[in-house]
Amino acid sequence: MYRHFGEADAARTSPLYERVAVALSESDEALRAIESAPARKRHPAMILAALHDLALAGRAPALAAAYAAADGDAAVDAAIDMLLRMADSVVAIAVRRQTRTNETGRCAVLYPAIAEAARRVGANAVGLIDVGCSAGLNLNVDRVGITYSNGQSLGAPSSPVQLSCSLVGDRPIPTRALPEVVARVGVDLDPLDVTDADDARWLRACLWPDQPERVARLEAEMALAATAPPLLLKGDAVDVLPDAFTRVPADALPVVTTTWALSHFPLESRLRFLHRLDEAAAGRAVAWVSAEGVGVAPTIPTLGDRRASGHSIIGLAEFDGSAVRAEAIGRCWSRGRLMSWLADS
């Protein structure tokens, strides 16, 4: 697993993690230390993030220096030494945490889809409810600037967070602006607060240290989120959603968003999640915007695409009383770095 992670996953974008992961795969002592963690916590992304967290906390200065200098040889030696000396600390972090990588790059997909939901319902204001929110960065979708490869732009052109997205196909995205966002609510089993030093450090630790552009963007995203922190609700989404809906003013459209979150739910929970949306729509219109793997989001058409096809479906479902209208409005790749808009707007 560690060799594959290094040679197949990290090799494309992180020479440091390629070197470290392969070295760990070749060290019997390091592997024994990793095996002291529960099986579900032994993934390379988790263990490397735990090591990185300790380095950022000042507890592993040699590893921090190697990462800062992008010195692969020094990083290998420091990572193995640290893992052998501090295995208990590494495992403790891995057990307590989940890997987090949902920076606001997903906003390039969410923005036009949420705006389309508001248009269809005729809403002048929306309340955002992000399921699987991590630190709630996606809840700032209206506060970032987004530029598409065809020259179109959405969002806030003067925002410190600027994103780009490549469009696939010749259909432009709709350029209408989001209505006023009057509520921002995140739902997660273990939400992270960007104003908490430990949580903010963990978000940094989950990024690979030799990807300076991602690091700089995350810093800008966390700074933006800290100026108006969202409401974060902790718990299972199916249980917490009713409370989340009460946080959206009655004259605003609740828009629930899921971005690659439902794949972590068993099928029964996905269906219960859908039932929660239906229940909330008994007294008001509700919209659900999703970016999920093919066939993952209940009721969202798959366009005849095959599961595990390498792309995801952008879905829009509108709930209004007993009526549910669900449509696939696009496809996207690489967590929103590329997208294809399909809906007639």
Side-chain angles (χ1 to χ4, degrees):
M1 181 170 61
Y2 275 74
R3 178 172 292 280
H4 181 270
F5 178 86
E7 295 179 345
D9 297 337
R12 297 190 298 269
T13 55
S14 178
L16 271 180
Y17 271 8
E18 178 187 11
R19 292 284 305 278
V20 173
V22 171
L24 292 176
S25 78
E26 295 172 345
S27 168
D28 291 341
E29 290 181 303
L31 293 177
R32 279 195 294 271
I34 292 168
E35 286 175 351
S36 66
R40 61 188 176 84
K41 295 292 188 174
R42 297 175 189 167
H43 191 276
M46 172 56 76
I47 297 299
L48 290 171
L51 290 168
H52 194 192
D53 187 62
L54 291 169
L56 292 173
R59 299 177 61 188
L63 185 61
Y67 281 167
D71 185 335
D73 290 336
V76 164
D77 292 340
I80 292 177
D81 176 68
M82 179 181 166
L83 185 57
L84 298 184
R85 288 189 300 103
M86 304 178 67
D88 290 346
S89 296
V90 173
V91 170
I93 293 172
V95 168
R96 185 166 62 94
R97 294 293 196 179
Q98 303 288 333
T99 52
R100 306 291 185 154
T101 56
N102 65 332
E103 304 131 278
T104 52
R106 305 168 191 229
C107 289
V109 169
L110 291 174
Y111 192 111
I114 296 170
E116 178 65 12
R119 181 194 72 83
R120 293 185 181 189
V121 176
N124 295 317
V126 297
L128 303 178
I129 302 172
D130 190 31
V131 171
C133 68
S134 183
L137 300 180
N138 292 334
L139 292 166
N140 288 309
V141 58
D142 58 318
R143 303 176 68 207
V144 305
I146 310 164
T147 302
Y148 297 88
S149 58
N150 66 351
Q152 290 181 281
S153 61
L154 292 172
S158 60
S159 172
V161 179
Q162 295 294 320
L163 311 174
S164 61
C165 176
S166 296
L167 292 181
V168 177
D170 56 5
R171 177 171 290 190
I173 59 170
T175 55
R176 66 184 57 85
L178 249 63
E180 181 184 7
V181 178
V182 296
R184 306 174 197 272
V185 184
V187 176
D188 200 288
L189 286 172
D190 184 24
L192 299 177
D193 179 358
V194 297
T195 66
D196 177 89
D198 289 343
D199 284 355
R201 187 181 66 246
W202 178 246
L203 286 170
R204 297 182 181 101
C206 288
L207 294 186
W208 299 357
D210 52 348
Q211 297 182 331
E213 290 185 1
R214 288 186 69 191
V215 173
R217 187 172 72 180
L218 176 64
E219 294 295 342
E221 291 169 353
M222 290 198 297
L224 179 64
T227 63
L231 173 65
L232 301 176
L233 301 179
K234 182 175 183 176
D236 181 271
V238 175
D239 298 327
V240 173
L241 269 176
D243 183 19
F245 280 115
T246 67
R247 310 305 180 106
V248 179
D251 57 352
L253 171 70
V255 181
V256 178
T257 58
T258 64
T259 54
W260 299 283
L262 292 188
S263 59
H264 300 289
F265 290 29
L267 178 58
E268 179 187 3
S269 293
R270 292 181 221 169
L271 296 176
R272 291 174 60 215
F273 165 82
L274 197 67
H275 183 61
R276 286 291 193 225
L277 302 182
D278 201 36
E279 286 179 333
R284 66 198 303 187
V286 171
W288 169 34
V289 169
S290 59
E292 303 284 354
V294 176
V296 171
T299 79
I300 301 299
T302 61
L303 303 172
D305 300 344
R306 294 181 299 173
R307 292 177 182 267
S309 56
H311 68 270
S312 299
I313 300 290
I314 306 168
L316 173 56
E318 305 148 56
F319 300 77
D320 191 358
S322 60
V324 180
R325 295 174 295 277
E327 181 182 348
I329 60 174
R331 297 183 177 94
C332 63
W333 296 258
S334 298
R335 293 296 196 261
R337 295 181 182 88
L338 299 91
M339 68 175 291
S340 172
W341 188 264
L342 303 176
D344 294 323
S345 301

